[in-house]
Amino acid sequence: MPSSTELLQATYRALSALVRDLRPEEAWQPTGCTGWAVLDLTLHLVDDARRGLVALATPAAPPATSDAVAYWRAWQPTAAQDADVAWRTRVRASVAGGPAELSGVYAELVAAVGVAAGRSRPEDLVGTQGHVLRTDDLLSTLAVEAAVHHLDLVTCLDRPGPAPEALAEVRRVLEGLLGDPLPAGWDDATAARRGTGREPLDDADRAVLGASAERFPLFG
């Protein structure tokens, strides 16, 4: 099993290669994140990598108030909040300069996050978005965010998907939120898409999940 730093570095390496390869004509293609275009999502990824870099430089006093699973349980925006974030991101993306400019910024940020993560201890406490997390839990949140949005990008782009270890971490977090294993017939990419509501459950899924099906999506 990779360390949290190795997990994040593998996740970012795969995603950074995709972002680096984006072409100008792909900027406004749709993604698996409803209402978000490729450039919108790329800017969001820049923002999340920046979150990681800031968090790694923001030591926090004990105790930890969240972990790699509970972090997502607390993230329950309303439809209006989602729409507001999407609109604000679209406005910013429209003047961001295009995929080439954002890919350069993203590459610099993820490289810096990787270095900072490597210098941290898993048990160190850091602050992010009102939470106090162990560093290894922070790195998990960054990897999960990146992996899910990597899947979003390849929904309409002919590119390789996320690193296998990143998808395995998404599944681990989703199963932690559910409190039970996800259906064995789902591969990790399917688990990520269905667990986050990007792909609907069918009747067979609902039969396997039983009452737990009503809890989907586990996070969005």
Side-chain angles (χ1 to χ4, degrees):
M1 182 175 179
S3 70
S4 56
T5 298
E6 291 168 340
L7 166 68
L8 184 62
Q9 289 172 338
T11 304
Y12 276 169
R13 187 162 51 247
L15 183 52
S16 189
L18 185 158
V19 171
R20 184 176 61 246
D21 192 44
L22 289 173
R23 298 187 293 271
E25 62 270 22
E26 295 172 328
W28 301 112
Q29 287 192 25
T31 70
C33 189
T34 303
W36 291 62
V38 167
L39 199 63
D40 301 331
L41 209 50
T42 304
L43 179 59
H44 178 67
L45 290 167
V46 166
D47 289 342
D48 201 60
R50 186 177 290 118
R51 169 179 79 88
L53 187 58
V54 170
L56 287 166
T58 307
T65 61
S66 191
D67 59 32
V69 174
Y71 172 87
W72 297 104
R73 190 175 289 120
W75 179 246
Q76 298 291 337
T78 65
Q81 288 171 327
D82 271 343
D84 183 64
V85 170
W87 178 78
R88 290 174 183 273
T89 304
R90 172 62 56 85
V91 171
R92 292 171 57 216
S94 298
V95 295
E101 288 79 358
L102 285 181
S103 69
V105 175
Y106 187 67
E108 289 181 348
L109 282 169
V110 298
V113 172
V115 171
R119 292 174 176 172
S120 301
R121 297 176 301 176
E123 67 273 18
D124 288 343
L125 295 180
V126 296
T128 184
Q129 296 184 332
H131 304 289
V132 175
L133 295 169
R134 284 172 50 110
T135 296
D136 55 357
D137 287 327
L138 169 73
L139 301 188
S140 169
T141 71
L142 296 170
V144 167
E145 179 94 9
V148 170
H149 289 319
H150 191 151
L151 278 178
D152 287 333
L153 288 169
V154 300
T155 298
C156 295
L157 298 176
D158 184 18
R159 301 290 199 287
E165 53 266 61
L167 290 175
E169 180 65 4
V170 176
R171 187 185 196 112
R172 184 188 76 83
V173 168
L174 289 168
E175 290 182 337
L177 290 168
L178 185 62
D180 283 302
L182 293 169
W186 293 359
D187 62 22
D188 289 345
T190 300
R193 289 191 295 266
R194 294 184 186 173
T196 61
R198 283 154 170 82
E199 189 173 289
L201 302 179
D202 60 24
D203 290 343
D205 295 329
R206 292 184 177 278
V208 171
L209 289 164
S212 294
E214 300 307 314
R215 297 173 56 193
F216 281 65
L218 298 169
F219 75 83

